[in-house]
Amino acid sequence: VLNVVLFLCNILLTGVPGTGKTTIGKRLSKRLKLPFFKLGDIALKKRFVKYFDEYHQSWIIDIDALKEYINSFLSRSTKCFLIECFYCDIIEPHHVSKIIVLRTHPLILLERLKKRNWPEHKINENILAEALSSITYDMLSFFQKEKIFEIDTSQCRIDECVTLAYKIITSNEKK
């Protein structure tokens, strides 16, 4: 059991908004029996925010404060977690066993983000980030490529995406 726990410790779930992080994360955490939290929620709850950016309609996070807090928390914890994050590179690599980057075709992402009633410029920024694979690129610049996996959520149902993620997490295979 100890090997399984060490193997499963701290899975990161990332992707641009609208790729399914929260929906998939909640279901996946139940299947894995791992606590799930969103790094952004921690930043808000602990008040690691500088201000609200009206143009981007989002909180500007105090990255240094959040980084210090989360890495200290993970160092002290005896539990494993499934962590949803947009800025995952603030988590030190030794705390992470696998990273799952959720991807979505930009045209499908466009439809998903329109339902959020976001300003057009915010939608466009996220579509461009997805088209350029910016999240995967950021993860590759910080974590070992063997830890990073992508799942295309464009056409798969939520339960199918959860099953794919589960297989990635519980597999001993490297990329």
Side-chain angles (χ1 to χ4, degrees):
V1 174
L2 183 58
N3 288 339
V4 173
V5 170
L6 290 174
F7 178 71
L8 286 176
C9 269
N10 302 324
I11 308 300
L12 306 184
L13 190 61
T14 189
V16 299
T19 55
K21 296 180 302 293
T22 302
T23 303
I24 292 167
K26 287 178 179 178
R27 292 189 189 185
L28 184 58
S29 73
K30 288 179 184 173
R31 188 156 175 194
L32 291 167
K33 297 179 175 60
L34 287 178
F36 172 70
F37 67 85
K38 299 165 64 170
L39 204 51
D41 288 351
I42 299 293
L44 291 173
K45 186 176 183 178
K46 297 292 182 180
R47 300 179 191 221
F48 298 140
V49 293
K50 294 181 179 181
Y51 59 92
F52 187 79
D53 182 330
E54 291 293 335
Y55 180 76
H56 291 100
Q57 294 292 296
S58 62
W59 289 99
I60 302 303
I61 304 297
D62 182 342
I63 297 294
D64 293 333
L66 183 57
K67 182 176 184 173
E68 182 179 331
Y69 174 82
I70 195 64
N71 286 297
S72 175
F73 171 79
L74 293 174
S75 291
R76 292 187 321 270
S77 180
T78 58
K79 294 183 180 178
C80 302
F81 299 95
L82 177 62
I83 305 168
E84 176 186 321
C85 49
F86 186 70
Y87 25 78
C88 296
D89 56 348
I90 71 165
I91 299 176
E92 295 172 5
H94 67 272
H95 290 304
V96 178
S97 60
K98 291 190 180 176
I99 301 109
I100 297 177
V101 181
L102 299 180
R103 304 292 311 273
T104 302
H105 188 282
L107 293 176
I108 293 171
L109 188 61
L110 174 64
E111 294 308 313
R112 290 180 187 176
L113 295 179
K114 280 182 178 179
K115 292 176 184 174
R116 295 183 178 194
N117 294 317
W118 283 358
E120 187 176 341
H121 64 86
K122 183 172 181 171
I123 292 172
N124 290 339
E125 287 174 1
N126 284 288
I127 299 290
L128 181 60
E130 179 63 15
L132 295 174
S133 304
S134 64
I135 301 289
T136 300
Y137 179 80
D138 289 346
M139 295 304 98
L140 286 167
S141 67
F142 194 71
F143 296 101
Q144 295 172 322
K145 67 180 178 180
E146 295 80 16
K147 292 183 175 186
I148 303 168
F149 299 83
E150 292 183 325
I151 294 175
D152 183 354
T153 67
S154 302
Q155 300 296 327
C156 70
R157 294 187 327 267
I158 294 167
D159 59 324
E160 293 171 330
C161 292
V162 169
T163 297
L164 285 171
Y166 181 84
K167 287 178 181 177
I168 289 168
I169 292 166
T170 58
S171 168
N172 287 324
E173 292 179 27
K174 299 276 185 181
K175 278 184 109 175

